[in-house]
Amino acid sequence: MPSSAPPLWISIATLMCAIAIVGTNALLLSPLVQTVGADLAASPAQVLWASSGYGLGVAAAALLIAPIGDRIGAGRLLRMALAVLTLGFVASALAPSLAALIAAQVLCGLAGGAALPSIYTMAAVIAPKGREARVVGAVLTGWTLSLVLGVSLAAWSAELVGWRAVYGALAALCALIWTLSAPLARLDEPGGAASSPLSALRVPGMARGIFASVGLMLSFYVTYSYTGAHATVSLGLSTGQAGLLPLIYGLGFGGAVLLDPILDRIGMARATTPVFLALSLVYLAMGVLGASYMLFLALAALWGIFQHFGLNLLVARLTVLDVRQRGAIMGLYSTTTYLSVFAAPFVGGIGFQALGIMGCVLISAALTTLAAVEALSLRRGSLPFTTDPAQPGAPDAPA
């Protein structure tokens, strides 16, 4: 890292805000489905097609564009992505029809697909040895900002100023983050080894990493995509009340950062299976108690805590598989994640139509349970990462 690098906290804060702006867009439409649908003459399910378009855009860019970061530098690619994302937000705010909104969200997805792998790569680059889980966890707190100050605030603001103004505000914020991200372009030197999705797929442990990614991320989006419909349709609550769930979830997700040092001590190998099993139990409890929105909200805090732990452990697992191909590896992770975003409205829709929110959480619990079983192999040391409890995600761990 260059001697002229900014203080660590500034780099963390910038990456955190970059995740927040990407994450806000990824999660925004769920509580706004009725408001956007009324304006564009579309049903809630049709509005969620824009979320699916966003997911496809992210998946394509993460697969094909993210590996470029291994050659030009993750910081430089991140700045390019933020510029395109700003344009996507402007297009979303001005969309005259559902088709135009879907197209704008595909553009946002292309930018997000390049941005997220770059953010995760930069988190590994700036993390001091022995503090990897804490630094990654702090950067991941950007998801909390997206939920608490992004999605929840946007849901309430949409009732006052309209959903178009919300996307206009996101465009302005994204432009500001682009301005502040300039120092990051100097922290990750370009000229790394050439990489590609195919080369990343050949990295030992990558196939199992993708399986774990599906288990964690598809389970989340299957349930999250229909929490807004559960609140507004099944329980008859307002859009603003529906926005409380991402707020509570986000507080749990963000508060979990205080417990991240425990992951550094326990180690990824021993912590992953218990965390995924805890997520399964939370999902089941949400289904059983879903008729009471207050209890549903209380469980959302636990959901956020264990989702934070799971994501932290997953990122740590993937970034040590091959340090020379982090961009391509995290690109595959983001591709998997946003294929899950694309699939979730359809997969979750099957469960929601059959059993309401109970159908969604049963699917999610099954997915996290499968991921917990897969993670048992980590304890046997079958994958190429350090099992030292003090260094569960050290960047210089052997590949």
Side-chain angles (χ1 to χ4, degrees), residues 268-363:
M268 176 171 59
R270 289 186 291 174
T272 303
T273 291
V275 165
F276 279 27
L277 287 176
L279 271 172
S280 299
L281 293 176
V282 171
Y283 282 126
L284 293 175
M286 290 172 69
V288 172
L289 303 175
S292 169
Y293 198 56
M294 294 304 296
L295 293 176
F296 199 73
L297 290 176
L299 287 168
L302 288 176
W303 187 19
I305 290 170
F306 287 108
Q307 188 74 17
H308 175 103
F309 290 157
L311 185 55
N312 193 331
L313 292 167
L314 180 61
V315 170
R317 171 179 178 172
L318 295 175
T319 55
V320 299
L321 292 177
D322 187 340
V323 297
R324 298 164 299 176
Q325 298 190 72
R326 279 180 177 146
I329 288 171
M330 296 315 297
L332 283 175
Y333 159 71
S334 291
T335 298
T336 302
T337 295
Y338 284 93
L339 284 176
S340 298
V341 173
F342 169 75
F346 305 103
V347 176
I350 296 172
F352 192 76
Q353 289 178 2
L355 297 171
I357 199 65
M358 174 62 83
C360 296
V361 299
L362 286 176
I363 294 171

Side-chain angles (χ1 to χ4, degrees), residues 61-87:
L63 189 66
L64 302 175
I65 300 176
I68 296 174
D70 291 326
R71 295 189 287 274
I72 69 171
R76 289 173 175 82
L77 183 58
L78 174 59
R79 299 203 76 218
M80 296 176 188
L82 289 172
V84 176
L85 185 59
T86 301
L87 296 177

Side-chain angles (χ1 to χ4, degrees), residues 360-387:
C360 296
V361 299
L362 286 176
I363 294 171
S364 296
L367 289 167
T368 49
T369 299
L370 288 173
V373 173
E374 183 279 329
L376 290 172
S377 65
L378 304 181
R379 299 175 66 91
R380 297 193 295 269
S382 61
L383 298 179
F385 61 85
T386 176
T387 55

Side-chain angles (χ1 to χ4, degrees), residues 100-125:
L101 179 63
I102 293 173
Q105 284 299 299
V106 170
L107 180 62
C108 289
L110 292 172
L116 284 174
S118 301
I119 294 169
Y120 295 138
T121 298
M122 290 304 302
V125 168

Side-chain angles (χ1 to χ4, degrees), residues 136-162:
V136 171
V139 170
L140 292 178
T141 306
W143 289 107
T144 297
L145 292 177
S146 72
L147 289 163
V148 176
L149 297 180
V151 178
S152 298
L153 182 60
W156 297 328
S157 299
E159 293 186 337
L160 299 176
V161 298

